[in-house]
Amino acid sequence: MKKTIKLMVNNLDLYVTIAQEVKNNIEKFSPFKIELVTVDWAEYVERLNNKNYDIVISGWIGDFFDPYSMLYIWHSDSSYNYSGFSNKRYDELIRSSQNIDNYPTRYETLYKAEKIILDEICIIPLYHYRLPLLVQKHLVKKLLFSPLGIINFATMESQKEVLKFESRK
């Protein structure tokens, strides 16, 4: 008999679709049966805070363009560490990375921290967000994105005065 694992997911359509695919793949390639637990946002957050789940699908977008933004959430003291993951070596690497001025050395330190998370299977990265966007090139001359995918409308230049309205008499 297969052991059942409950997979908690927010009830948004996108996340339910992703959870269904994860469920299918786990059941296909492992000895586990997955029960999807779909909850609204309030219950999702409450259960995360109380660590009331077996496994969970969750997302994170870095606040700034640096690996630290993605890695600090797994630090023992992070308020976003809903998993309860705790590793003294990991915490030391994350803390020490903030005092390293040499980028190659700092990134090597953060790489070592990331390896701990992946080796201990604290998280299983599934995908990166994409921003599907249609742009009419004949209207937009310059459209810049930050490395985090944020559109910088302040620097946008258009080919034509797109938003100019003329009154018709």
Side-chain angles (χ1 to χ4, degrees):
M1 179 177 212
K2 289 185 170 193
K3 177 178 170 53
T4 299
I5 298 173
K6 293 180 181 178
L7 171 59
M8 183 177 76
V9 65
N10 183 318
N11 65 357
L12 294 175
D13 290 343
L14 172 64
Y15 295 116
V16 172
T17 300
I18 292 166
Q20 187 63 51
E21 188 63 27
V22 168
K23 170 188 174 8
N24 294 342
N25 279 288
I26 290 174
E27 289 180 344
K28 183 176 180 180
F29 297 107
S30 79
F32 301 104
K33 178 175 175 18
I34 301 298
E35 177 186 333
L36 288 183
V37 179
T38 305
V39 295
D40 66 26
W41 182 249
E43 183 177 349
Y44 179 85
V45 171
E46 179 183 329
R47 291 179 69 162
L48 277 178
N49 285 320
N50 295 324
K51 296 174 184 48
N52 182 13
Y53 59 86
D54 292 337
I55 58 177
V56 62
I57 290 183
S58 185
W60 186 261
I61 297 173
D63 298 325
F64 48 92
F65 192 58
D66 187 88
Y68 181 87
S69 182
M70 300 299 285
L71 294 173
Y72 180 75
I73 61 174
W74 307 110
H75 187 280
S76 298
D77 295 336
S78 170
S79 60
Y80 297 106
N81 183 358
Y82 300 114
S83 71
F85 172 79
S86 183
N87 179 296
K88 286 183 183 187
R89 178 69 179 140
Y90 179 83
D91 291 349
E92 289 169 9
L93 290 166
I94 293 299
R95 229 180 342 269
S96 71
S97 74
Q98 294 306 287
N99 299 317
I100 300 171
D101 292 335
N102 178 290
Y103 281 106
T105 303
R106 183 168 179 274
Y107 285 170
E108 180 64 26
T109 301
L110 291 170
Y111 168 78
K112 289 176 184 175
E114 180 182 46
K115 186 166 177 5
I116 290 170
I117 289 175
L118 296 174
D119 287 349
E120 293 196 18
I121 313 176
C122 166
I123 61 170
I124 302 171
L126 296 176
Y127 64 94
H128 292 277
Y129 286 102
R130 294 184 318 174
L131 178 65
L133 182 67
L134 295 174
V135 176
Q136 294 181 354
K137 289 186 177 189
H138 69 282
L139 298 178
V140 178
K141 182 166 48 172
K142 180 179 174 185
L143 184 62
L144 300 177
F145 296 84
S146 79
L148 300 174
I150 298 168
I151 302 171
N152 187 345
F153 288 108
T155 61
M156 186 174 95
E157 295 177 16
S158 62
Q159 299 283 17
K160 300 177 181 179
E161 291 186 40
V162 178
L163 300 177
K164 182 178 179 184
F165 295 99
E166 296 180 16
S167 62
R168 295 183 185 182
K169 295 185 180 186

